[in-house]
Amino acid sequence: MKVTVYNCRAFDEKELFERFGEELHIELVLCPDAPDKENAALARGSECIDIITSKMTGDLLKIFADYGVKYVTTRTIGYDHIDVKAAKALGMTVANAPYGPCGVADYAVMLILMTIRKMKRILERTNIQDYTLKGIQGRELKDLTVGVIGTGRIGRTVLKDLSGFGCRLIAYDLYENEDVKASGVSYVTLEEMWQQADVITLHAPLTDENRHMINKETISRMKDGVMIVNTARGGLIDSEALISGIESGKIGGAGLDVVENEFGLYYYDRKSDILNNRELAILRGFPNVTVSHHMAFYTDDCVETVVRDSLLGCRYFVEGKENPWEVR
Ligand code: NAI
């Protein structure tokens, strides 16, 4: 069997693909670029393609389907970049390759700490030998209420990690989790979340229903100085509303591993380019907003797991076996 891998990174993934390809007896076509109309022909003869967070529209999926591709796996947890409905209509199966939640959870906790301790400003100052203290006084987690939205694998790990800091923890999810309740964390309504949380950390997938769940109106109901951390998906936050909230001081800081319209930017060297994502430029410029380029997942453990499981899913699919990663 043959799998065409897109966005294959030479410096960390290639060797892993070669190793797991050999172990699983899979012939691989490794392409460093994102899938598009021009390079779709590389998938001729492959039943499966293996991608990351590049947009897979209905039109693009149709081109792959015409080349005989029946299975699209994404080396990510989120799959909102794939038009799953269109894929199903074309008779294609979509799957993801989730890795352990600890890498993203660690990163979210780090962004929470960086945000409440004003770490961006501290680093900027020490870099230019400005050793003053004015404006960089932080807050302590033990004095804060942290609200976790989405108590799936990552959100639950964040709750567990934060339990050692002595902060008050509240949570919101469409479905309450018994283990979370047993740990003493209270589920609240979204309204209560906005009213009570000093820090809000997002761990829900992006859906049509929750797009821009953080918007002008919900921000107005939050506590003054609220801090927002997003390691889930950029589309959960209306960037314009976030910018206005920061400008007015209503929002005291943010840690953003993801932003709206990041497609086409992240994982490329664009330093000489004029970019068309104004929100990102503005957010990056604020001294109280830490932005990173969608890399909370990026640990040795996560990379190895996604490469292996994305290929393993292809093998299960081709052999008609039960596939735990299939998006239903
Ligand atoms: P999961 O599927 O285990 O948990 C998601 C939870 O969100 C579920 O409990 C679900 O009921 C809940 N949920 C769904 N819609 C909701 C809504 N409207 N409001 C509140 N809760 C809602 O997913 P997991 O593994 O915990 O990942 C969470 C998200 O993290 C992913 O969907 C992905 O977008 C993001 N992610 C980001 C990464 C990064 O590198 N920054 C890496 C991995 C995941």
Side-chain angles (χ1 to χ4, degrees), residues 225-312:
V226 64
M227 288 173 259
I228 297 174
V229 166
N230 190 4
T231 55
R233 283 292 180 267
L236 293 171
I237 302 180
D238 176 350
S239 309
E240 285 295 340
L242 180 67
I243 290 169
S244 303
I246 288 166
E247 284 170 342
S248 71
K250 174 77 183 175
I251 296 174
L256 309 172
D257 185 48
V258 286
V259 289
E260 281 189 288
N261 310 318
E262 65 185 50
F263 292 110
L265 288 182
Y266 286 178
Y267 314 138
Y268 297 101
D269 181 351
R270 306 289 305 267
K271 62 177 168 289
S272 302
D273 299 343
I274 306 296
L275 303 180
N276 63 359
N277 188 325
R278 290 182 190 193
E279 302 91 50
L280 176 59
I282 296 171
L283 288 166
R284 256 191 320 117
F286 288 125
N288 57 350
V289 178
T290 304
V291 176
S292 59
H293 49 282
H294 199 148
M295 53 180 313
F297 74 94
Y298 197 49
T299 65
D300 47 2
D301 184 80
C302 289
V303 173
E304 180 163 335
T305 308
V306 278
V307 169
R308 186 194 61 217
D309 291 352
S310 68
L311 288 183
L312 199 54

Coordinates of all heavy atoms in Angstrom, one line a residue, residues 225-312:
G225 N -9.9 43.2 33.5 CA -8.6 42.6 33.6 C -8.5 41.2 33.4 O -7.4 40.6 33.6
V226 N -9.5 40.5 32.9 CA -9.5 39.1 32.6 C -8.4 38.7 31.6 O -8.0 39.5 30.8 CB -10.9 38.7 32.0 CG1 -11.2 39.3 30.6 CG2 -11.0 37.2 31.9
M227 N -7.8 37.6 31.8 CA -6.7 37.1 30.9 C -7.2 35.9 30.2 O -7.9 35.0 30.8 CB -5.5 36.8 31.8 CG -4.9 38.1 32.3 SD -3.5 37.9 33.4 CE -4.3 38.2 34.9
I228 N -6.9 35.9 28.9 CA -7.4 34.8 28.0 C -6.3 34.0 27.4 O -5.3 34.6 26.8 CB -8.3 35.4 27.0 CG1 -9.5 36.1 27.6 CG2 -8.8 34.3 26.0 CD1 -10.4 36.8 26.7
V229 N -6.3 32.7 27.5 CA -5.3 31.9 26.9 C -6.0 30.9 25.9 O -7.0 30.3 26.2 CB -4.6 31.1 28.0 CG1 -3.8 29.9 27.4 CG2 -3.7 32.0 28.8
N230 N -5.5 30.9 24.7 CA -6.1 30.0 23.7 C -5.0 29.1 23.0 O -4.1 29.6 22.3 CB -6.7 30.9 22.6 CG -7.6 30.1 21.6 OD1 -7.7 28.9 21.8 ND2 -8.1 30.7 20.6
T231 N -5.1 27.8 23.4 CA -4.3 26.9 22.7 C -5.2 25.9 21.9 O -4.8 24.8 21.5 CB -3.4 26.0 23.7 OG1 -4.3 25.4 24.6 CG2 -2.4 26.8 24.4
A232 N -6.5 26.3 21.7 CA -7.4 25.4 21.0 C -7.5 25.8 19.5 O -6.7 25.3 18.7 CB -8.7 25.5 21.6
R233 N -8.3 26.7 19.1 CA -8.4 27.2 17.7 C -8.7 28.7 17.7 O -9.5 29.2 18.5 CB -9.5 26.5 17.0 CG -9.2 25.0 16.6 CD -8.1 25.0 15.5 NE -7.7 23.7 15.1 CZ -6.7 23.0 15.6 NH1 -6.0 23.4 16.6 NH2 -6.5 21.7 15.2
G234 N -8.1 29.4 16.8 CA -8.2 30.9 16.7 C -9.6 31.3 16.6 O -10.0 32.3 17.1
G235 N -10.4 30.6 15.8 CA -11.8 31.0 15.5 C -12.7 31.0 16.7 O -13.8 31.5 16.6
L236 N -12.3 30.5 17.8 CA -13.1 30.6 19.0 C -13.2 32.0 19.5 O -14.1 32.4 20.3 CB -12.5 29.7 20.2 CG -12.5 28.2 19.9 CD1 -11.7 27.5 21.0 CD2 -14.0 27.7 19.9
I237 N -12.2 32.9 19.1 CA -12.2 34.2 19.6 C -12.3 35.2 18.4 O -11.7 35.0 17.3 CB -10.8 34.6 20.2 CG1 -10.6 33.6 21.4 CG2 -10.8 36.0 20.7 CD1 -9.3 33.9 22.2
D238 N -13.2 36.2 18.5 CA -13.3 37.2 17.5 C -12.1 38.2 17.7 O -12.1 38.9 18.7 CB -14.7 37.9 17.7 CG -14.8 39.1 16.7 OD1 -13.8 39.5 16.1 OD2 -15.9 39.7 16.7
S239 N -11.2 38.1 16.8 CA -9.9 38.9 17.0 C -10.2 40.4 17.2 O -9.5 41.0 18.0 CB -9.0 38.7 15.8 OG -8.8 37.4 15.5
E240 N -11.1 40.9 16.4 CA -11.4 42.4 16.5 C -11.8 42.7 17.9 O -11.4 43.7 18.5 CB -12.5 42.8 15.5 CG -12.0 42.8 14.1 CD -11.0 43.9 13.8 OE1 -10.9 44.9 14.7 OE2 -10.2 43.8 12.9
A241 N -12.7 41.9 18.5 CA -13.2 42.1 19.8 C -12.1 42.0 20.8 O -12.1 42.7 21.8 CB -14.4 41.1 20.1
L242 N -11.2 41.0 20.6 CA -10.1 40.8 21.5 C -9.2 42.1 21.5 O -8.8 42.6 22.6 CB -9.3 39.6 21.1 CG -8.1 39.2 21.9 CD1 -8.5 38.8 23.3 CD2 -7.3 38.1 21.3
I243 N -8.9 42.6 20.3 CA -8.1 43.8 20.2 C -8.7 44.9 20.9 O -8.1 45.6 21.7 CB -7.8 44.1 18.7 CG1 -6.9 43.0 18.1 CG2 -7.2 45.5 18.5 CD1 -6.8 43.0 16.6
S244 N -10.0 45.1 20.7 CA -10.7 46.3 21.3 C -10.7 46.1 22.9 O -10.5 47.0 23.6 CB -12.2 46.4 20.9 OG -12.3 46.5 19.6
G245 N -10.8 44.8 23.3 CA -10.8 44.6 24.7 C -9.5 44.9 25.4 O -9.4 45.3 26.5
I246 N -8.4 44.6 24.6 CA -7.1 44.8 25.1 C -6.8 46.4 25.1 O -6.3 46.9 26.1 CB -6.0 44.1 24.3 CG1 -6.1 42.6 24.7 CG2 -4.6 44.6 24.6 CD1 -5.4 41.6 23.8
E247 N -7.2 47.0 24.0 CA -7.0 48.5 23.9 C -7.7 49.2 25.1 O -7.2 50.2 25.6 CB -7.5 49.0 22.6 CG -6.6 48.7 21.5 CD -7.1 48.9 20.1 OE1 -8.4 49.1 19.9 OE2 -6.3 49.0 19.1
S248 N -8.9 48.7 25.4 CA -9.7 49.4 26.5 C -9.2 49.0 27.9 O -9.6 49.7 28.8 CB -11.2 49.1 26.3 OG -11.4 47.7 26.7
G249 N -8.4 48.0 28.0 CA -7.9 47.5 29.3 C -8.9 46.5 29.9 O -8.6 46.0 31.0
K250 N -10.0 46.3 29.3 CA -11.0 45.3 29.8 C -10.3 43.9 29.9 O -10.4 43.2 30.9 CB -12.2 45.2 28.9 CG -13.2 44.1 29.3 CD -14.0 44.5 30.4 CE -15.0 43.5 30.9 NZ -15.7 43.8 32.0
I251 N -9.5 43.6 28.9 CA -8.7 42.4 28.9 C -7.3 42.7 29.4 O -6.6 43.6 28.8 CB -8.7 41.7 27.6 CG1 -10.1 41.3 27.2 CG2 -7.8 40.5 27.5 CD1 -10.3 40.8 25.8
G252 N -6.8 42.0 30.4 CA -5.5 42.4 31.0 C -4.3 41.7 30.4 O -3.2 42.1 30.6
G253 N -4.6 40.7 29.5 CA -3.5 40.0 28.9 C -4.0 38.8 28.2 O -5.1 38.3 28.4
A254 N -3.2 38.3 27.2 CA -3.6 37.1 26.5 C -2.4 36.3 26.1 O -1.3 36.8 25.9 CB -4.4 37.5 25.2
G255 N -2.6 35.0 26.0 CA -1.5 34.1 25.5 C -2.2 33.3 24.4 O -3.1 32.5 24.6
L256 N -1.7 33.5 23.2 CA -2.4 32.9 22.0 C -1.5 32.0 21.2 O -0.6 32.5 20.6 CB -2.9 34.0 21.1 CG -3.7 35.2 21.8 CD1 -3.9 36.3 20.8 CD2 -5.0 34.6 22.3
D257 N -1.7 30.7 21.3 CA -0.9 29.8 20.5 C -1.6 29.7 19.1 O -0.9 29.2 18.2 CB -0.8 28.5 21.1 CG 0.1 27.5 20.3 OD1 1.2 28.0 20.0 OD2 -0.3 26.4 20.0
V258 N -2.8 30.1 19.0 CA -3.6 30.0 17.8 C -4.3 31.4 17.5 O -4.7 32.0 18.5 CB -4.6 28.9 17.8 CG1 -3.9 27.5 17.7 CG2 -5.4 29.0 19.1
V259 N -4.4 31.7 16.2 CA -5.2 33.0 15.9 C -6.0 32.7 14.7 O -5.8 31.7 13.9 CB -4.2 34.1 15.5 CG1 -3.5 34.7 16.8 CG2 -3.3 33.8 14.4
E260 N -7.0 33.5 14.5 CA -7.9 33.4 13.3 C -7.0 33.6 12.0 O -6.0 34.3 12.1 CB -8.9 34.5 13.3 CG -10.1 34.2 14.2 CD -11.2 35.2 14.0 OE1 -11.0 36.4 14.4 OE2 -12.2 34.8 13.4
N261 N -7.4 32.9 11.0 CA -6.7 33.1 9.7 C -5.2 32.8 9.7 O -4.4 33.5 9.1 CB -6.9 34.5 9.1 CG -8.4 34.9 9.2 OD1 -9.2 34.0 8.8 ND2 -8.7 36.1 9.6
E262 N -4.8 31.8 10.4 CA -3.4 31.5 10.5 C -3.0 30.6 9.3 O -1.8 30.4 9.1 CB -3.0 30.8 11.8 CG -3.7 29.4 12.0 CD -3.5 28.8 13.4 OE1 -3.6 29.5 14.4 OE2 -3.1 27.6 13.4
F263 N -4.0 30.1 8.6 CA -3.6 29.2 7.5 C -2.7 29.9 6.5 O -2.9 31.0 6.1 CB -4.9 28.7 6.7 CG -5.7 27.8 7.6 CD1 -7.0 28.2 8.0 CD2 -5.3 26.5 7.9 CE1 -7.7 27.4 8.8 CE2 -6.0 25.7 8.7 CZ -7.3 26.1 9.2
G264 N -1.7 29.2 6.0 CA -0.8 29.8 5.0 C 0.4 30.5 5.6 O 1.3 30.9 5.0
L265 N 0.3 30.8 6.9 CA 1.3 31.5 7.6 C 2.2 30.6 8.4 O 3.4 30.6 8.3 CB 0.8 32.6 8.6 CG 0.1 33.8 8.1 CD1 -0.4 34.7 9.3 CD2 1.0 34.6 7.2
Y266 N 1.5 29.8 9.2 CA 2.3 29.0 10.2 C 3.1 27.9 9.6 O 2.6 27.2 8.7 CB 1.4 28.6 11.3 CG 1.1 29.7 12.3 CD1 0.2 29.5 13.3 CD2 1.6 31.0 12.1 CE1 -0.1 30.6 14.2 CE2 1.3 32.0 12.9 CZ 0.4 31.8 14.0 OH 0.1 32.9 14.8
Y267 N 4.3 27.8 10.1 CA 5.3 26.8 9.7 C 6.0 27.2 8.4 O 6.7 26.4 7.8 CB 4.7 25.4 9.6 CG 3.8 25.0 10.8 CD1 2.6 24.3 10.7 CD2 4.2 25.4 12.1 CE1 1.8 24.0 11.8 CE2 3.4 25.2 13.2 CZ 2.2 24.5 13.0 OH 1.4 24.2 14.1
Y268 N 5.9 28.5 8.0 CA 6.7 29.0 6.9 C 7.5 30.1 7.4 O 7.2 30.8 8.3 CB 5.8 29.5 5.7 CG 4.9 28.4 5.2 CD1 3.6 28.3 5.5 CD2 5.4 27.4 4.3 CE1 2.7 27.3 5.0 CE2 4.6 26.4 3.8 CZ 3.3 26.4 4.2 OH 2.5 25.3 3.7
D269 N 8.7 30.3 6.7 CA 9.5 31.5 7.0 C 9.0 32.6 6.2 O 9.2 32.7 5.0 CB 11.0 31.1 6.7 CG 11.9 32.3 7.0 OD1 11.3 33.4 7.3 OD2 13.1 32.2 6.9
R270 N 8.3 33.5 6.8 CA 7.7 34.7 6.0 C 8.3 36.0 6.4 O 7.6 37.0 6.3 CB 6.1 34.7 6.3 CG 5.4 33.3 6.1 CD 5.3 33.0 4.6 NE 4.7 34.1 3.8 CZ 3.3 34.2 3.6 NH1 2.5 33.2 4.0 NH2 2.9 35.2 2.9
K271 N 9.5 36.0 7.0 CA 10.0 37.2 7.6 C 10.2 38.3 6.6 O 10.2 39.5 7.0 CB 11.3 37.0 8.4 CG 12.5 36.4 7.8 CD 13.6 36.4 8.9 CE 14.8 35.6 8.4 NZ 14.5 34.1 8.3
S272 N 10.4 38.0 5.3 CA 10.6 39.1 4.3 C 9.3 39.5 3.6 O 9.3 40.3 2.7 CB 11.6 38.7 3.3 OG 12.8 38.4 3.9
D273 N 8.2 38.9 4.0 CA 6.9 39.1 3.3 C 6.0 40.1 4.0 O 6.1 40.3 5.2 CB 6.1 37.8 3.2 CG 6.9 36.7 2.5 OD1 7.8 37.0 1.8 OD2 6.5 35.5 2.6
I274 N 5.2 40.8 3.2 CA 4.2 41.7 3.7 C 3.0 40.7 3.9 O 2.5 40.1 3.0 CB 3.8 42.8 2.7 CG1 5.1 43.5 2.2 CG2 2.7 43.7 3.2 CD1 5.8 44.3 3.3
L275 N 2.5 40.6 5.2 CA 1.4 39.7 5.4 C 0.1 40.4 5.4 O 0.0 41.6 5.7 CB 1.7 39.0 6.8 CG 3.0 38.3 6.9 CD1 3.2 37.7 8.3 CD2 3.2 37.2 5.9
N276 N -0.9 39.6 5.2 CA -2.3 40.3 5.1 C -3.1 39.9 6.4 O -4.3 39.9 6.3 CB -3.0 39.9 3.8 CG -3.2 38.4 3.8 OD1 -2.9 37.7 4.7 ND2 -3.9 38.0 2.7
N277 N -2.5 39.6 7.5 CA -3.2 39.3 8.7 C -3.0 40.4 9.7 O -2.1 40.4 10.5 CB -2.8 37.9 9.3 CG -3.7 37.5 10.4 OD1 -4.2 38.3 11.2 ND2 -3.9 36.2 10.5
R278 N -3.9 41.4 9.5 CA -3.7 42.6 10.4 C -3.9 42.3 11.9 O -3.2 42.9 12.7 CB -4.7 43.7 10.0 CG -4.4 44.3 8.6 CD -5.4 45.3 8.3 NE -5.3 45.7 6.9 CZ -5.8 46.8 6.4 NH1 -6.6 47.6 7.1 NH2 -5.7 47.0 5.1
E279 N -4.9 41.5 12.1 CA -5.2 41.2 13.5 C -3.9 40.6 14.2 O -3.6 41.0 15.3 CB -6.3 40.2 13.7 CG -7.6 40.6 13.1 CD -7.7 40.1 11.7 OE1 -7.5 38.9 11.4 OE2 -8.1 40.9 10.8
L280 N -3.3 39.7 13.5 CA -2.1 39.1 14.1 C -1.0 40.1 14.3 O -0.4 40.1 15.4 CB -1.6 38.0 13.1 CG -0.3 37.3 13.5 CD1 -0.4 36.6 14.9 CD2 0.1 36.2 12.5
A281 N -0.8 41.1 13.4 CA 0.2 42.1 13.5 C -0.1 43.0 14.8 O 0.8 43.3 15.6 CB 0.3 43.0 12.3
I282 N -1.4 43.3 14.9 CA -1.7 44.1 16.1 C -1.6 43.4 17.4 O -1.0 43.9 18.3 CB -3.2 44.6 15.9 CG1 -3.3 45.5 14.7 CG2 -3.7 45.4 17.2 CD1 -4.7 45.9 14.3
L283 N -2.1 42.2 17.4 CA -2.0 41.4 18.6 C -0.5 41.1 19.0 O -0.1 41.3 20.2 CB -2.7 40.0 18.5 CG -4.2 40.1 18.4 CD1 -4.8 38.8 17.9 CD2 -4.8 40.4 19.8
R284 N 0.3 40.8 18.0 CA 1.8 40.6 18.3 C 2.4 41.8 18.9 O 3.3 41.7 19.7 CB 2.5 40.3 17.0 CG 2.8 38.9 16.8 CD 3.8 38.6 15.6 NE 3.6 39.4 14.4 CZ 4.5 40.3 14.0 NH1 5.7 40.4 14.6 NH2 4.3 40.9 12.8
G285 N 1.9 43.0 18.6 CA 2.5 44.3 19.0 C 2.2 44.6 20.5 O 2.9 45.4 21.1
F286 N 1.1 44.1 21.0 CA 0.8 44.5 22.4 C 1.8 43.9 23.4 O 2.1 42.7 23.3 CB -0.6 43.9 22.8 CG -1.8 44.6 22.1 CD1 -2.7 43.9 21.4 CD2 -1.9 46.0 22.2 CE1 -3.8 44.5 20.7 CE2 -3.0 46.6 21.6 CZ -3.9 45.9 20.9
P287 N 2.2 44.7 24.4 CA 3.2 44.2 25.4 C 2.6 43.1 26.3 O 3.3 42.4 26.9 CB 3.6 45.4 26.2 CG 2.5 46.4 26.0 CD 1.9 46.1 24.6
N288 N 1.2 43.0 26.3 CA 0.6 42.0 27.3 C 0.0 40.9 26.5 O -0.8 40.2 27.0 CB -0.4 42.7 28.2 CG -1.5 43.4 27.4 OD1 -1.4 43.6 26.2 ND2 -2.5 43.9 28.1
V289 N 0.4 40.7 25.3 CA -0.1 39.5 24.5 C 1.1 38.7 24.0 O 1.9 39.2 23.3 CB -1.0 40.0 23.3 CG1 -1.5 38.8 22.5 CG2 -2.2 40.8 23.8
T290 N 1.1 37.5 24.4 CA 2.1 36.5 23.9 C 1.5 35.7 22.8 O 0.5 35.1 22.9 CB 2.6 35.6 25.0 OG1 3.0 36.3 26.2 CG2 3.7 34.7 24.6
V291 N 2.2 35.8 21.6 CA 1.7 35.0 20.5 C 2.7 33.9 20.1 O 3.9 34.3 20.0 CB 1.5 35.9 19.3 CG1 1.0 35.1 18.0 CG2 0.4 37.0 19.6
S292 N 2.3 32.7 19.9 CA 3.2 31.7 19.4 C 2.5 31.1 18.2 O 1.3 31.2 18.0 CB 3.6 30.7 20.4 OG 2.5 30.0 20.9
H293 N 3.3 30.4 17.3 CA 2.8 30.0 16.0 C 2.3 28.5 16.1 O 2.8 27.6 15.4 CB 3.7 30.2 14.9 CG 5.1 29.7 15.1 ND1 6.0 30.4 15.8 CD2 5.8 28.7 14.6 CE1 7.2 29.8 15.8 NE2 7.0 28.7 15.0
H294 N 1.2 28.3 16.8 CA 0.5 27.0 16.8 C 1.4 25.9 17.0 O 1.6 25.0 16.2 CB -0.3 26.8 15.5 CG -1.4 25.8 15.7 ND1 -2.6 25.8 15.0 CD2 -1.5 24.7 16.5 CE1 -3.3 24.8 15.3 NE2 -2.7 24.0 16.2
M295 N 2.1 25.9 18.2 CA 3.1 24.9 18.4 C 3.0 24.3 19.8 O 4.0 23.6 20.2 CB 4.5 25.5 18.2 CG 4.7 26.8 19.0 SD 6.3 27.3 18.6 CE 7.2 25.8 18.8
A296 N 1.8 24.4 20.4 CA 1.7 23.8 21.8 C 1.9 22.3 21.7 O 2.4 21.7 22.6 CB 0.3 24.1 22.3
F297 N 1.6 21.7 20.5 CA 1.7 20.3 20.4 C 3.2 19.8 20.2 O 3.4 18.6 20.2 CB 0.9 19.9 19.1 CG 1.7 20.3 17.8 CD1 2.5 19.3 17.2 CD2 1.6 21.5 17.3 CE1 3.2 19.7 16.1 CE2 2.3 21.9 16.2 CZ 3.1 21.0 15.6
Y298 N 4.1 20.8 19.9 CA 5.3 20.4 19.3 C 6.4 19.9 20.4 O 7.2 20.6 20.8 CB 5.9 21.6 18.6 CG 7.0 21.2 17.6 CD1 6.8 20.2 16.7 CD2 8.1 21.9 17.5 CE1 7.8 19.8 15.8 CE2 9.1 21.6 16.6 CZ 8.9 20.5 15.8 OH 9.9 20.2 14.9
T299 N 6.2 18.6 20.7 CA 7.2 18.0 21.6 C 7.7 16.7 20.9 O 7.0 16.2 20.0 CB 6.6 17.6 22.9 OG1 5.6 16.6 22.7 CG2 5.9 18.8 23.6
D300 N 8.7 16.1 21.4 CA 9.3 14.9 20.8 C 8.2 13.8 20.8 O 8.0 13.1 19.9 CB 10.6 14.5 21.5 CG 10.5 14.5 23.0 OD1 9.4 14.8 23.6 OD2 11.5 14.2 23.7
D301 N 7.5 13.7 22.0 CA 6.5 12.6 22.1 C 5.4 12.8 21.1 O 5.0 11.8 20.5 CB 6.0 12.7 23.6 CG 5.0 11.5 23.8 OD1 5.5 10.4 24.1 OD2 3.8 11.7 23.8
C302 N 4.9 14.0 21.0 CA 3.7 14.3 20.1 C 4.1 14.0 18.7 O 3.3 13.4 18.0 CB 3.2 15.7 20.3 SG 2.4 16.1 21.8
V303 N 5.2 14.4 18.2 CA 5.6 14.3 16.8 C 5.7 12.8 16.5 O 5.2 12.3 15.5 CB 6.9 15.0 16.5 CG1 7.4 14.7 15.1 CG2 6.7 16.5 16.6
E304 N 6.4 12.0 17.4 CA 6.5 10.6 17.1 C 5.1 9.9 17.0 O 4.8 9.1 16.2 CB 7.4 10.0 18.1 CG 7.6 8.5 17.9 CD 8.8 7.9 18.6 OE1 9.8 8.6 19.0 OE2 8.8 6.7 18.9
T305 N 4.3 10.3 18.0 CA 3.0 9.6 18.1 C 2.1 9.9 16.9 O 1.5 9.0 16.3 CB 2.2 10.1 19.4 OG1 3.1 9.9 20.5 CG2 1.0 9.3 19.6
V306 N 2.1 11.2 16.4 CA 1.2 11.5 15.3 C 1.7 10.8 14.0 O 0.9 10.3 13.2 CB 1.0 13.0 14.9 CG1 0.0 13.6 15.8 CG2 2.3 13.8 14.9
V307 N 3.0 10.8 13.8 CA 3.5 10.2 12.6 C 3.1 8.7 12.6 O 2.6 8.2 11.6 CB 5.1 10.4 12.4 CG1 5.6 9.5 11.3 CG2 5.4 11.9 12.2
R308 N 3.4 8.1 13.7 CA 3.1 6.6 13.8 C 1.6 6.3 13.6 O 1.2 5.5 12.8 CB 3.6 6.1 15.2 CG 3.5 4.6 15.3 CD 3.6 4.2 16.8 NE 2.6 4.8 17.6 CZ 2.7 5.2 18.8 NH1 3.9 5.1 19.4 NH2 1.7 5.7 19.5
D309 N 0.8 7.1 14.4 CA -0.6 6.7 14.4 C -1.3 7.2 13.1 O -2.3 6.6 12.7 CB -1.3 7.4 15.6 CG -0.9 6.6 16.9 OD1 -0.2 5.6 16.8 OD2 -1.2 7.1 18.0
S310 N -0.8 8.2 12.5 CA -1.4 8.6 11.2 C -1.2 7.5 10.2 O -2.1 7.1 9.4 CB -0.9 9.9 10.7 OG 0.5 9.8 10.3
L311 N 0.0 6.9 10.2 CA 0.2 5.7 9.3 C -0.5 4.5 9.7 O -1.0 3.7 8.8 CB 1.7 5.5 9.2 CG 2.6 6.5 8.4 CD1 4.0 6.0 8.4 CD2 2.1 6.7 7.0
L312 N -0.6 4.3 11.0 CA -1.3 3.1 11.5 C -2.7 3.1 11.1 O -3.3 2.1 10.7 CB -1.1 3.0 13.0 CG -1.4 1.7 13.7 CD1 -0.5 0.6 13.1 CD2 -1.0 1.9 15.2

